[in-house]
Amino acid sequence: MNVLLSGVVGSVAHGLAHEGSDVDRLGMFAVPTERLHGLHRPRESHVSTGPDVTLHEAGKAVRLILACNPTAGELLWLARYETRTPLGDELVAMRGRLLSERAVRDAYLGYARQQFRKLLARDPATDPAKAAKHARHLVRLVRQAEQLHRTGHLTLRVEDPDAVRELGESFAAAPLRAETFLARAADRLDAPGVLPEAPDEAAADAWLRRVRAAFYRPGE
């Protein structure tokens, strides 16, 4: 596969991994451009387990990034990469221009509220580890959204993992406490921040066209 960018994401990248945590890898690849011209389009994502690897085709990856999808967007903010190409470097360099105020708020809070619903549906007495995991994700997503809103930059590795774990355990034990946490976050994200109203779609489109040109090999 024509992998453009890949690396370790998830709890390892966040500094929240523990013994037994999965090692999740994420990447993007480019299909040969001529394959996009036929009747049947190629698969846009390849997901495997053991090891856990998710690869998105460049077109899908950039659409997810423009929507500020928290999972897909991590790929542009890694401290280290396992695969990094010139085209991948170009996308990393424009990562701040692909953010937008409303998309960050909706995507990150949307994912955090999804974790809250999972927390409410799970009995912490029967599965405390899973409940704590949902709660940690909730806390992390809110903090990431607030950092992006405030600075336009994302640091994946949390500064205070013990505090995130402690707050997560508190929410896991009493999930309704997280409601106030989410409501306050929503208020902060509604206040003026540094992010633009809309992402730079023209830059994203130009990058994707460069990818298509680079991998166009007619006659092969």
Side-chain angles (χ1 to χ4, degrees):
M1 298 177 72
N2 303 313
V3 177
L4 306 176
L5 205 59
S6 70
V8 175
V9 293
S11 60
V12 174
H14 304 147
L16 295 171
H18 55 80
E19 187 176 351
S21 290
D22 294 330
V23 178
D24 301 308
R25 286 178 166 83
L26 176 65
M28 68 170 64
F29 67 98
V31 298
T33 302
E34 57 273 19
R35 290 186 58 199
L36 298 170
H37 299 164
L39 179 62
H40 301 291
R41 294 182 66 84
R43 286 170 59 187
E44 288 195 306
S45 296
H46 294 267
V47 180
S48 62
T49 57
D52 296 324
V53 180
T54 298
L55 294 171
H56 296 307
E57 206 284 318
K60 179 177 182 179
V62 79
R63 290 194 298 272
L64 290 171
I65 290 166
L66 286 169
C68 295
N69 178 285
T71 304
E74 284 192 8
L75 186 58
L76 300 188
W77 300 92
L78 297 180
R80 295 174 58 189
Y81 290 89
E82 294 179 327
T83 302
R84 187 164 182 171
T85 65
L87 282 166
D89 282 342
E90 286 184 25
L91 196 63
V92 170
M94 68 174 73
R95 61 192 179 184
R97 296 159 62 190
L98 306 182
L99 298 168
S100 58
E101 183 179 86
R102 181 55 56 181
V104 164
R105 184 190 190 283
D106 291 350
Y108 280 80
L109 278 187
Y111 269 60
R113 286 168 177 149
Q114 185 181 75
Q115 296 300 317
F116 178 59
R117 290 192 293 271
K118 290 179 178 179
L119 199 55
L120 290 176
R122 191 173 296 279
D123 183 353
T126 59
D127 196 350
K130 205 71 171 179
K133 182 178 180 180
H134 293 319
R136 285 195 302 274
H137 284 327
L138 185 157
V139 174
R140 172 185 58 80
L141 286 160
V142 165
R143 288 191 171 193
Q144 288 179 338
E146 291 178 346
Q147 185 190 20
L148 284 169
H149 181 76
R150 187 177 65 254
T151 70
H153 184 85
L154 179 61
T155 304
L156 286 185
R157 192 171 187 86
V158 299
E159 293 182 355
D160 48 358
D162 290 340
V164 171
R165 292 189 185 97
E166 184 178 344
L167 187 55
E169 288 170 5
S170 170
F171 291 160
L176 290 178
R177 293 176 183 169
E179 268 191 318
T180 301
F181 181 74
L182 287 168
R184 288 174 178 168
D187 288 342
R188 286 192 287 269
L189 293 174
D190 279 337
V194 302
L195 297 177
E197 289 187 9
D200 189 344
E201 288 192 0
D205 182 74
W207 175 83
L208 188 56
R209 289 176 184 273
R210 289 194 294 277
V211 171
R212 299 308 183 216
F215 291 96
Y216 182 54
R217 302 181 182 95
E220 290 188 7

Coordinates of all heavy atoms in Angstrom, one line a residue, residues 6-7 13 15 19 23 30-31 36 39 50 57 61 63 65 67 74 94 101 107 111 115 121 130 148 151 181 213 217:
S6 N 1.8 7.3 9.1 CA 1.3 6.3 10.0 C 2.0 6.4 11.4 O 3.2 6.9 11.4 CB 1.4 4.9 9.5 OG 2.7 4.5 9.4
G7 N 1.4 6.0 12.4 CA 2.0 6.0 13.7 C 1.1 5.5 14.8 O 0.0 5.1 14.5
A13 N -0.2 7.1 22.8 CA 0.1 8.5 22.4 C -0.4 9.5 23.5 O 0.2 10.5 23.6 CB -0.5 8.8 21.1
G15 N -0.4 8.9 26.7 CA 0.3 8.8 27.9 C -0.6 8.2 29.0 O -0.4 8.3 30.2
E19 N -0.6 -1.5 31.8 CA -0.3 -2.9 31.4 C -1.5 -3.6 30.8 O -2.6 -3.6 31.4 CB 0.2 -3.7 32.7 CG 0.7 -5.1 32.4 CD 1.2 -5.8 33.6 OE1 1.3 -5.1 34.6 OE2 1.5 -7.0 33.5
V23 N -2.1 -1.5 21.6 CA -1.3 -0.5 20.8 C -2.0 -0.3 19.5 O -2.1 -1.2 18.7 CB 0.1 -1.1 20.6 CG1 0.9 0.0 19.8 CG2 0.9 -1.3 21.9
A30 N -2.7 6.1 -0.2 CA -3.2 6.6 -1.5 C -3.4 5.4 -2.4 O -2.4 4.6 -2.6 CB -2.3 7.6 -2.1
V31 N -4.6 5.2 -3.0 CA -4.8 4.2 -4.0 C -4.2 4.7 -5.3 O -4.1 6.0 -5.5 CB -6.3 3.9 -4.2 CG1 -6.9 3.3 -2.9 CG2 -7.1 5.1 -4.7
L36 N -9.6 4.9 -9.2 CA -10.8 5.7 -8.9 C -11.7 6.0 -10.1 O -12.8 6.5 -9.9 CB -10.3 7.1 -8.3 CG -9.5 7.0 -7.0 CD1 -8.9 8.4 -6.7 CD2 -10.3 6.5 -5.9
L39 N -15.8 1.5 -12.4 CA -17.2 1.3 -11.9 C -17.2 1.1 -10.4 O -18.1 1.6 -9.7 CB -17.8 0.2 -12.6 CG -19.3 -0.2 -12.2 CD1 -20.2 1.0 -12.5 CD2 -19.7 -1.4 -13.0
G50 N -5.0 -7.4 16.1 CA -3.9 -8.3 16.3 C -2.8 -8.3 15.3 O -2.6 -9.3 14.7
E57 N -8.0 5.7 3.3 CA -7.5 6.3 2.0 C -7.4 7.8 2.1 O -8.2 8.4 2.9 CB -8.4 5.8 0.9 CG -7.8 5.8 -0.5 CD -7.6 7.1 -1.1 OE1 -8.5 8.0 -1.0 OE2 -6.6 7.3 -1.7
A61 N -9.5 10.2 4.6 CA -8.8 10.7 5.7 C -8.9 12.3 5.8 O -9.2 12.8 6.8 CB -7.3 10.3 5.6
R63 N -11.3 14.1 4.5 CA -12.6 14.5 4.8 C -12.9 14.4 6.3 O -13.5 15.3 6.9 CB -13.6 13.7 4.0 CG -13.7 14.0 2.5 CD -14.9 13.3 1.9 NE -14.9 11.9 2.0 CZ -14.3 11.0 1.1 NH1 -13.6 11.5 0.1 NH2 -14.4 9.7 1.3
I65 N -10.6 14.6 8.7 CA -9.8 15.6 9.3 C -10.5 17.0 9.2 O -10.6 17.8 10.2 CB -8.4 15.7 8.7 CG1 -7.7 14.4 9.2 CG2 -7.7 16.9 9.1 CD1 -6.4 14.1 8.4
A67 N -13.6 17.5 9.1 CA -14.8 17.4 10.1 C -14.3 17.4 11.5 O -15.1 17.4 12.4 CB -15.6 16.2 9.8
E74 N -5.9 12.8 15.1 CA -4.7 12.5 15.9 C -3.5 12.3 15.0 O -2.4 12.6 15.4 CB -4.9 11.2 16.8 CG -5.8 11.5 18.0 CD -5.7 10.3 18.9 OE1 -4.9 9.4 18.7 OE2 -6.5 10.3 19.9
M94 N 0.0 21.7 7.3 CA -1.2 22.6 7.2 C -2.3 22.2 8.2 O -3.5 22.7 8.1 CB -1.8 22.5 5.8 CG -2.4 21.1 5.4 SD -3.2 21.2 3.8 CE -1.8 21.2 2.7
E101 N -13.9 26.2 14.2 CA -14.5 26.3 15.5 C -15.6 25.4 15.8 O -15.7 24.7 16.7 CB -14.9 27.8 15.7 CG -15.5 28.1 17.1 CD -15.8 29.6 17.2 OE1 -17.0 29.9 16.8 OE2 -15.0 30.4 17.6
A107 N -17.6 17.9 17.1 CA -17.0 16.6 17.0 C -16.5 16.1 18.4 O -16.8 15.0 18.8 CB -15.9 16.6 16.0
Y111 N -18.2 13.2 20.7 CA -17.6 12.0 21.1 C -17.6 11.9 22.6 O -17.7 10.8 23.2 CB -16.1 12.0 20.5 CG -16.0 11.3 19.2 CD1 -16.7 11.8 18.1 CD2 -15.2 10.2 19.0 CE1 -16.5 11.2 16.8 CE2 -15.1 9.6 17.8 CZ -15.7 10.1 16.7 OH -15.6 9.5 15.5
Q115 N -19.3 8.9 25.0 CA -18.6 8.2 26.2 C -19.5 8.3 27.4 O -19.6 7.4 28.2 CB -17.2 8.8 26.4 CG -16.3 8.6 25.3 CD -16.0 7.1 24.9 OE1 -15.9 6.3 25.8 NE2 -16.0 6.8 23.7
A121 N -24.8 3.7 30.7 CA -25.4 2.3 30.4 C -24.6 1.2 31.0 O -25.1 0.1 31.0 CB -25.4 2.1 28.9
K130 N -13.9 -1.0 32.4 CA -14.5 -0.4 31.2 C -15.1 0.9 31.5 O -15.1 1.9 30.7 CB -15.6 -1.4 30.7 CG -15.8 -1.3 29.2 CD -14.7 -1.8 28.4 CE -15.0 -1.8 26.9 NZ -13.9 -2.3 26.1
L148 N -7.6 23.0 21.7 CA -7.7 23.4 20.3 C -8.4 24.8 20.2 O -8.0 25.7 19.5 CB -8.5 22.4 19.5 CG -7.7 21.1 19.2 CD1 -8.6 20.1 18.6 CD2 -6.6 21.5 18.1
T151 N -6.0 27.5 21.8 CA -4.6 27.7 21.2 C -4.5 27.4 19.7 O -3.5 27.8 19.1 CB -3.6 26.9 22.0 OG1 -3.8 25.5 21.6 CG2 -3.7 27.1 23.5
F181 N -19.5 18.7 34.2 CA -18.3 18.9 33.5 C -18.5 19.1 32.0 O -17.9 20.0 31.4 CB -17.5 17.6 33.7 CG -16.1 17.5 33.1 CD1 -15.0 18.3 33.6 CD2 -15.9 16.8 31.9 CE1 -13.8 18.2 33.1 CE2 -14.6 16.7 31.4 CZ -13.5 17.5 31.9
A213 N -2.2 13.2 -8.4 CA -1.2 13.4 -9.5 C 0.0 12.5 -9.3 O 0.5 11.9 -10.2 CB -0.8 14.8 -9.7
R217 N -0.7 6.6 -12.7 CA 0.3 5.9 -13.6 C -0.5 5.1 -14.6 O -0.8 3.9 -14.5 CB 1.1 4.9 -12.7 CG 1.9 5.6 -11.6 CD 2.8 4.6 -10.9 NE 3.5 5.3 -9.8 CZ 3.0 5.3 -8.5 NH1 1.9 4.7 -8.2 NH2 3.8 6.0 -7.6

